[in-house]
Amino acid sequence: MQSTTRVARRSGGLGDRSGSWPLWPRWLLWASLGVFALGLLLPASPAGSPVPGWLAIIRDWVPVLVCWLAASRVGFRRVQVTLAAAALTAFALGNSSYSAATSSGMDSQFPSTAVVGYLAFYVLMLAALAALVLRQLGGRPSSVLVDSAVGSLGAAAVLAVLLSPILDSAARGAPSAAAVVGVAYPLLAMALVAAVVGIAVAPGLQLGHGWLLLLCGLLVFTAADVAFVLMELGGETALGAALGGGRALGLVLVATWVDGSVRSAGTVSRRVTGAWTLMAPAFATVAALGVLVVGTQVPVSATAIALAGVTLVVAAVRTHLAFHELVKMGDLRRQALTDDLTGLPNRRALYADVPERLAARRPAALLLLDLDRFKEVNDSLGHDVGDRLLIQVGERLSAQLRTGDLLARLGGDEFAVFLDNARRDQAVAVAAKLRAALAESFTLEGIALQADVSIGIALSPDQGDDLKVLLRKADMAMYKAKAARSGHHVYVSVDNSHGDERLRTLQELRVALRDNHLVLHYQPKIDLTSGAVHGVEALVRWRHPVRGLLYPEAFLVLVEEAGLMHWMTEVVLEKALDQAAVWRAAGQPLTVAVNLSASSLVDADLPQRIIAMVAARGLPTSALMLEITEEFLMADRERARAILTELSAGGIRLAVDDFGTGYSSLAYLRDLPIDELKLDRSFVIPMAGDRRAAALVASTIHLAHSLGLRMVAEGVEDATAYDALVSHGCDHAQGFFLSKALPVEILDDWLEDRRLQALDTPNSAASPAQFGIPGPSARATIEAQTRATV
Ligand code: C2E
Ligand code: CA
Ligand code: CA
């Protein structure tokens, strides 16, 4: 249950004077009580009064004085203080008149005018309590009033049993003045005590500083006073002195409360706990039932029975109210801890639950899951599809967990799993199980979507027993898993060092995209039969303000992870097509190849946008070629086919990049509108020293041709490979042996040199040396030039 402690500060019109309010009134009160106690030890006065007159005056009037001082202290602005002062005054007046009467020998006059003062005390004190409660009630729920009422009624029912003989006899007697007093007195006293109990049990009330003093004071006073008056009525005087002492103590306590209540600048609330909510009705119900049970055994007054009945009814109402409040609280609590979309526990729930479990210091694991490229699903297929994907992901994940494991959605595409009682091996096994559960594609709106996930794992207590720390470590491990595409990764301390750097790079990357810091270098593709250059591949670089020129391997993973690939592809396409238009205008119609990442697959509008971009520059569609990886083809075959068909229908040529590294079968490729295969450099580079590698390349070229596809060899680094490729009938070649990727100006020079040399040696088609392909030293120069220009 939640507990709240509210500290309400009220100036109460005290201003800054409250701090300097002297302590002497308080000392005076307690001194008067001491004097009174000592006075009681003196022999009784001859007049038969239980308390000597002068002592009674000290006892009655010192509290009055203190109360009025306090009331004036706050300019009589606190009604309850003024009423309490008036109540004590009424009592003092009544008592003084009684003392005067007894000392003058008119003792048989009881009930006398003194009784009016006594009764007035109760009426005024009840009014003071009412003012106190009403002042507190502003803005509080009605249940507080009901609590108070039910407490009062329960107490009244019990008191009515105790007072039964008096109530009954008074009711039966003749309606004399004495009988009226005999009934009114215990009833008023009962009402006061009941009110005190009601206030004490109402959890929502703030009664100001020292409220217990008031409650005790009133109880003590009332008990002694009622006993005293009843004794007087019955002509008894035996316990007079002791009861006088009780009245004195009660008055001093009440006056101390009054004094204290104007002394403290603010009111301090009681602790209200959920358990308290049902306390008052529970106690009242027990009390009322007790009264009814007693009523079956001994005769009790009808008033007591009636009060018990009403108490039960009101207590039932209150319980009903409390129940509703609790249900509402429970609802709110549940809502606060549940993720709206998936119905799974949310981050708050994780924080509510896990710290306690970590405190046990049993081996436990925290897994942080982050879907790969979810943002692109959202961006291209819409939030609705994204949401439904998340729901399904949540369902698949929870199906894998045991009871006792906690799965929470932290927000976005981030989930957390807390495994109690799990060591490293179990955690890794669960991670593998979760990944396997998501590996199968999801079908949403007829589209098969892949939701790969990267999982970071942190272990407790080894790597911390604080949830925040574990979350941070799991997060770092998760990024590690993402970057390495390893699926999952268990945190090790070195993972820590890269977190900040990663964040900074991400920020810089956004700036780079916005402020045009990305540049393209172009690597020529050479036609191996004619030696001509018909096309180039555009390769992106980042001109970093501090770190210099960065190559794709330094930032592409981050671009993917941050969901910026969309944007980057757009930027690269714009630049590449602009450049293609420039070349075309200069009479050099080169085809520019642009790389598409696998995540482009989720972008259904991409084909139309690309076609429009080409058209907008007045370029023929043959000016652009798109290089896609096998990963792109295999992620979702149907979507890949749809996108490629649309592009191809628009006239754009397509190449399969890094061919041979993936799992696409040639049979599958045959059915796609593909123009070119780019044999991965891992096959080409070993060709020079490895005959088997060369034979493999040869048969692959052959196969491609049999399917009507052009073959391009990547990574041609030396003359041996070059010659072998020529002899095996490879169509195109690309590689450092021919040229690195170059900035436009250098490439233009390189192309011009080539053209001139081709003119010089018109009949030497196949040998690269005859084309004047730059040797190693010349390449070093190009490299130096390249660095200088970027
Ligand atoms: P890729 O598409 O396979 O591009 C060819 C990579 O091989 C380029 O590296 C190129 O510089 C390098 N290369 C060229 N000739 C040789 C050679 O003879 N030997 C060796 N060892 N390597 C050679 P780069 O520019 O670092 O690009 C790396 C990868 O980054 C590219 O591989 C491509 O997958 C990706 N990439 C580059 N630009 C873009 C882009 O604009 N968009 C996307 N989505 N990916 C890009
Ligand atoms: Ca490529
Ligand atoms: Ca490649």
Side-chain angles (χ1 to χ4, degrees), residues 537 539 595 627 629 656-659 678-681 714 734:
E537 180 180 1
L539 294 158
N595 293 281
E627 297 191 5
T629 56
V656 175
D657 207 352
D658 303 345
F659 179 69
K678 295 189 77 179
L679 187 60
D680 190 67
R681 55 181 175 271
E714 287 188 320
Q734 191 182 342

Side-chain angles (χ1 to χ4, degrees), residues 384-406:
D384 186 44
V385 173
D387 284 356
R388 278 186 290 147
L389 178 64
L390 287 174
I391 295 171
Q392 291 193 16
V393 165
E395 285 166 358
R396 283 204 199 170
L397 291 177
S398 39
Q400 298 302 316
L401 299 173
R402 301 167 304 185
T403 38
D405 295 343
L406 177 70

Side-chain angles (χ1 to χ4, degrees), residues 472-533:
R472 213 184 55 230
K473 291 186 171 172
D475 192 50
M476 286 185 273
M478 190 271 290
Y479 275 110
K480 189 88 185 204
K482 237 180 215 204
R485 297 174 193 246
S486 58
H488 61 257
H489 179 75
V490 182
Y491 176 82
V492 278
S493 52
V494 291
D495 297 347
N496 208 339
S497 50
H498 304 301
D500 292 348
E501 190 188 316
R502 197 188 154 276
L503 264 185
R504 205 180 43 242
T505 313
L506 192 63
Q507 188 49 35
E508 290 170 348
L509 194 57
R510 289 179 204 280
V511 174
L513 279 163
R514 195 192 59 207
D515 297 352
N516 202 17
H517 293 165
L518 296 187
V519 291
L520 295 184
H521 285 185
Y522 298 90
Q523 186 175 37
K525 293 178 178 177
I526 288 165
D527 183 333
L528 288 176
T529 42
S530 68
V533 175

Side-chain angles (χ1 to χ4, degrees), residues 630 657-664 680-683:
E630 288 181 80
D657 207 352
D658 303 345
F659 179 69
T661 56
Y663 305 100
S664 57
D680 190 67
R681 55 181 175 271
S682 59
F683 295 91

Side-chain angles (χ1 to χ4, degrees), residues 522-722:
Y522 298 90
Q523 186 175 37
K525 293 178 178 177
I526 288 165
D527 183 333
L528 288 176
T529 42
S530 68
V533 175
H534 299 302
V536 293
E537 180 180 1
L539 294 158
V540 69
R541 273 95 182 93
W542 175 3
R543 221 183 275 168
H544 192 283
V546 180
R547 291 156 69 194
L549 190 73
L550 298 180
Y551 282 71
E553 62 165 20
F555 59 90
L556 277 192
V557 171
L558 196 60
V559 172
E560 281 280 14
E561 273 174 28
L564 297 172
M565 189 50 91
H566 238 54
W567 190 2
M568 198 197 85
T569 303
E570 202 96 14
V571 168
V572 170
L573 277 167
E574 300 270 0
K575 284 181 183 292
L577 289 170
D578 284 347
Q579 186 55 46
V582 170
W583 278 321
R584 198 157 287 265
Q588 196 165 33
L590 292 170
T591 295
V592 181
V594 168
N595 293 281
L596 282 190
S597 81
S599 53
S600 313
L601 195 61
V602 293
D603 188 355
D605 300 334
L606 191 69
Q608 286 316 313
R609 276 214 313 279
I610 292 177
I611 291 165
M613 282 165 88
V614 175
R617 287 164 179 82
L619 291 168
T621 44
S622 61
L624 181 67
M625 180 151 210
L626 293 173
E627 297 191 5
I628 50 168
T629 56
E630 288 181 80
E631 193 193 346
F632 177 103
L633 296 174
M634 304 311 285
D636 180 346
R637 292 181 177 214
E638 284 320 300
R639 271 185 82 74
R641 182 191 300 280
I643 287 186
L644 297 188
T645 307
E646 204 173 341
L647 284 166
S648 161
I652 291 175
R653 281 180 289 164
L654 303 165
V656 175
D657 207 352
D658 303 345
F659 179 69
T661 56
Y663 305 100
S664 57
S665 69
L666 278 173
Y668 168 61
L669 292 181
R670 194 182 51 197
D671 294 338
L672 294 173
I674 284 167
D675 304 280
E676 200 172 282
L677 296 182
K678 295 189 77 179
L679 187 60
D680 190 67
R681 55 181 175 271
S682 59
F683 295 91
V684 178
I685 291 169
M687 274 175 77
D690 184 344
R691 289 184 48 156
R692 283 224 320 256
L696 182 66
V697 170
S699 62
T700 313
I701 292 169
H702 185 71
L703 253 168
H705 284 164
S706 72
L707 292 172
L709 299 169
R710 215 174 23 245
M711 180 60 95
V712 181
E714 287 188 320
V716 181
E717 292 189 341
D718 50 46
T720 321
Y722 186 93

Side-chain angles (χ1 to χ4, degrees), residues 189-277:
M190 190 174 87
L192 187 64
V193 172
V196 166
V197 173
I199 289 168
V201 297
L205 289 176
Q206 294 179 341
L207 298 176
H209 202 70
W211 60 278
L212 214 60
L213 280 177
L214 173 69
L215 303 190
C216 291
L218 287 177
L219 287 180
V220 170
F221 175 85
T222 309
D225 193 47
V226 170
F228 179 84
V229 171
L230 293 179
M231 260 175 41
E232 285 286 309
L233 280 172
E236 284 248 10
T237 52
L239 284 172
L243 293 176
R247 287 161 113 188
L249 178 64
L251 290 175
V252 167
L253 287 172
V254 172
T256 306
W257 170 77
V258 171
D259 176 64
S261 80
V262 302
R263 186 184 296 281
S264 69
T267 56
V268 181
S269 78
R270 276 177 285 162
R271 238 175 131 73
V272 180
T273 64
W276 254 111
T277 312

